[in-house]
Amino acid sequence: MSSSSGNRSNNGASSSYPPPPLTSSRLYIANKAKEILATRDDTGITKLITNLCYAKESDESSSLLYKTFKNHFPNLLAVKLLHAYTFMTTKTFPSSPSCVRTHSLKLLTSLLIDLEESNIALKTESLNDMKEHLNSCLLHQETSDREFKLLSRIISRVSVDFFIESIPWDELCSFIVSLSDKKMLLMFGELPTVLDEDFLKPLLENNLGFKIVKGLFHQDRDGDDDEEWCLALEAGFNLMLQLVNLERRDLVWDSVYAIVSSVWEMVNVRKRDMVVRRGLLRLVRKVRSEALRFRGPEYEFVSRLALMIKRINGLGDDTKIAAKMIHDVLDRYYMGGTVLDLGFIQSLIGINSA
């Protein structure tokens, strides 16, 4: 009796707690990872991205496989994700849904952010491989607006190491120059604030400053122009930081005046307080991603600019909070830097500090 009872008890336990599926086992995950790593073909990683894109809660194997790549092979994963995107946009794989292609870029963006926040740098070989494929994506492939925005963010994070090491990326500069106004503002606004003068000069010579001012002031009253204003605000803010970094005193004040004047006009003339708030929250994201690299002048400049915007008459309470968030995030992530050049800062913003 006891034996029979014990069997029933064990059988009951088995039915209540079934063993994990074979595809979730460590052995399966390890073998699958080796299979994908051992080949230059992109079919395996593409299938994994597709599974993740359409993942169900019961599909544990794809999630575990991706985590294995992310935790143990981040350099290879970054390159593979970009390869897969390129692969899915070619005639070789024409049936790939756009959502799967976009998902590969989402995964890559998330991976690069996680690596940056963990202070893990991509290896030079991986960076060069990604640069080559990004050039191909930009010059030879049609991209949706969503994909273009994700590619811009990926380029921003990949390019940091190139600019810090003074490695030229001429193809990127030429590509930005060739873009329409809206896309130029978008991509420039995403670039890191470590550009050298050789990269920035052709952009300024091809009317980047004029296109920023045009986006900030010359608008109609529709949603597309609201979005362009936000893009111009981001690009103008980024240009200011680049010029502060390069100590271009002759140009920084023009950017400051344009931004502050445009915010005032948007709030008091165009009655677009909500759009201004949306734009300021994008600046919060920009400061969050760049503050670790700020020196003293950048810190002081952004801090005072946020205060100038907050003091503009007519701002709604929520928009004032957004302006304050710029300063709060700056204080949270700023790590120090060089000694403040107070004379430089005062020459830029002292006139309107009262």
Side-chain angles (χ1 to χ4, degrees):
M1 291 289 292
S2 62
S3 174
S4 175
S5 175
N7 287 337
R8 284 196 302 270
S9 176
N10 290 338
N11 290 339
S14 296
S15 62
S16 300
Y17 302 97
L22 178 62
T23 54
S24 296
S25 69
R26 291 184 179 180
L27 180 60
Y28 172 83
I29 296 299
N31 287 335
K32 194 66 177 176
K34 290 179 181 178
E35 178 185 326
I36 295 176
L37 290 173
T39 177
R40 296 178 63 87
D41 184 73
D42 294 314
T43 304
I45 190 68
T46 300
K47 288 181 178 178
L48 175 60
I49 295 168
T50 303
N51 291 340
L52 291 170
C53 183
Y54 296 112
K56 299 178 181 178
E57 292 183 4
S58 58
D59 180 15
E60 296 181 8
S61 60
S62 296
S63 178
L64 289 172
L65 181 57
Y66 184 77
K67 287 179 181 177
T68 299
F69 278 122
K70 185 175 180 180
N71 293 334
H72 301 289
F73 311 102
N75 282 271
L76 185 57
L77 177 60
V79 174
K80 283 276 189 180
L81 288 171
L82 194 53
H83 282 198
Y85 172 75
T86 306
F87 177 63
M88 287 186 283
T89 54
T90 62
K91 295 179 180 179
T92 310
F93 205 84
S95 60
S96 174
S98 61
C99 62
V100 178
R101 297 197 302 270
T102 302
H103 197 66
S104 66
L105 298 180
K106 288 181 180 178
L107 291 172
L108 179 53
T109 303
S110 177
L111 172 64
L112 293 175
I113 291 173
D114 290 344
L115 290 175
E116 183 175 313
E117 293 185 346
S118 301
N119 293 319
I120 299 175
L122 289 172
K123 295 179 180 178
T124 302
E125 182 180 354
S126 298
L127 286 168
N128 288 332
D129 198 345
M130 294 182 71
K131 177 183 175 183
E132 180 181 340
H133 276 77
L134 286 168
N135 284 337
S136 176
C137 290
L138 296 176
L139 298 176
H140 305 298
Q141 294 177 193
E142 294 292 332
T143 58
S144 67
D145 289 344
R146 177 59 175 157
E147 290 171 2
F148 184 85
K149 182 175 291 188
L150 289 168
L151 282 170
S152 296
R153 292 179 179 177
I154 290 166
I155 287 170
S156 171
R157 298 187 180 278
V158 171
S159 65
V160 169
D161 292 286
F162 289 103
F163 288 122
I164 288 177
E165 297 297 328
S166 298
I167 301 173
W169 194 342
D170 297 334
E171 300 92 340
L172 178 59
C173 182
S174 299
F175 178 75
I176 295 175
V177 167
S178 72
L179 291 171
S180 64
D181 290 6
K182 188 173 181 179
K183 285 190 172 182
M184 175 185 276
L185 295 176
L186 192 161
M187 183 163 282
F188 179 79
E190 292 288 349
L191 289 178
T193 57
V194 290
L195 305 182
D196 57 39
E197 194 156 5
D198 289 339
F199 188 94
L200 191 60
K201 185 178 179 181
L203 300 180
L204 294 175
E205 290 176 346
N206 283 273
N207 299 318
L208 173 63
F210 172 78
K211 292 175 182 179
I212 289 173
V213 171
K214 179 182 175 183
L216 287 173
F217 291 99
H218 303 289
Q219 300 173 10
D220 296 321
R221 295 179 176 271
D222 57 49
D224 288 341
D225 282 328
D226 287 347
E227 172 62 16
E228 187 166 347
W229 184 86
C230 290
L231 294 176
L233 179 67
E234 289 181 274
F237 184 74
N238 195 16
L239 180 58
M240 287 189 302
L241 292 174
Q242 307 287 356
L243 294 172
V244 171
N245 183 41
L246 296 172
E247 298 191 14
R248 291 296 305 271
R249 306 181 183 208
D250 54 326
L251 297 175
V252 174
W253 177 246
D254 292 340
S255 299
V256 178
Y257 180 80
I259 282 188
V260 175
S261 299
S262 179
V263 170
W264 183 91
E265 181 181 280
M266 286 289 286
V267 170
N268 293 288
V269 178
R270 300 183 183 275
K271 308 301 180 184
R272 292 286 209 275
D273 184 79
M274 185 178 296
V275 178
V276 171
R277 181 162 68 250
R278 188 196 315 160
L280 294 181
L281 290 175
R282 294 188 187 186
L283 298 192
V284 172
R285 180 179 65 86
K286 183 68 174 178
V287 172
R288 167 67 182 87
S289 66
E290 296 288 342
L292 289 173
R293 290 188 287 270
F294 281 176
R295 302 167 303 152
E298 286 92 340
Y299 170 87
E300 186 70 12
F301 180 70
V302 173
S303 177
R304 295 295 296 273
L305 178 64
L307 181 62
M308 292 168 66
I309 293 175
K310 184 181 176 183
R311 289 179 173 176
I312 291 176
N313 291 330
L315 284 184
D317 291 340
D318 290 341
T319 306
K320 288 181 180 179
I321 292 174
K324 182 177 182 297
M325 285 176 64
I326 296 174
H327 191 277
D328 292 344
V329 170
L330 178 66
D331 275 347
R332 180 177 179 183
Y333 291 101
Y334 175 64
M335 297 298 291
T338 59
V339 177
L340 292 180
D341 181 358
L342 294 178
F344 173 47
I345 298 299
Q346 290 298 329
S347 70
L348 297 177
I349 56 182
I351 297 176
N352 285 343
S353 61

